[in-house]
Amino acid sequence: MKQFTDDEMKELLPRAKAYSVVILRTGPNYHTPAAAQIIWEHGRRNFGLRDDGVLSVVLPVTDESDVCGIGVFNCSVDEAVAIMDDDPGVAAGVFAYDVHPCRGFPGDRLP
């Protein structure tokens, strides 16, 4: 692992950009018979948001916790809240969510 000097860090840190991270959790209707189709449509919507460049990273969580996924949105917290409030899974009570401001480096990606 490369060791970064203080000067290198001081040069890189200002390049960080504001993003919003969404933590998606199970909602009260997550275990209902209708949930599977609603989750499918939630996924379809995520593909559209990715294609539009608004949802930069989508990470479905696959353990047995109440966390269903993590998303990094290329927008403000207020915009992410509006997007999530319009999500079919959230509207149906299948999902609940929290939004947090965060910072990251443009161009970061999953390997």
Side-chain angles (χ1 to χ4, degrees):
M1 175 174 59
K2 176 182 172 159
Q3 296 296 314
F4 284 83
T5 66
D6 289 349
D7 287 340
E8 287 172 318
M9 288 180 60
K10 288 176 186 174
E11 180 184 332
L12 291 171
L13 286 173
R15 297 181 189 172
K17 180 184 178 303
Y19 295 94
S20 297
V21 64
V22 170
I23 310 297
L24 193 66
R25 295 176 281 103
T26 58
N29 298 327
Y30 186 79
H31 296 288
T32 63
Q37 184 59 40
I38 293 167
I39 292 168
W40 183 258
E41 294 308 318
H42 159 83
R44 183 187 316 274
R45 186 168 182 269
N46 283 348
F47 278 110
L49 292 169
R50 284 178 62 243
D51 191 60
D52 288 347
V54 176
L55 184 53
S56 300
V57 177
V58 180
L59 299 169
V61 173
T62 59
D63 61 14
E64 298 301 317
S65 71
D66 72 334
V67 176
C68 299
I70 298 168
V72 179
F73 284 76
N74 186 20
C75 62
S76 72
V77 167
D78 290 341
E79 291 168 315
V81 166
I83 290 167
M84 291 307 300
D85 283 347
D86 196 39
D87 183 271
V90 171
V94 172
F95 296 121
Y97 70 92
D98 298 305
V99 180
H100 302 275
C102 63
R103 298 188 61 75
F105 293 96
D108 281 357
R109 65 187 189 288
L110 299 172

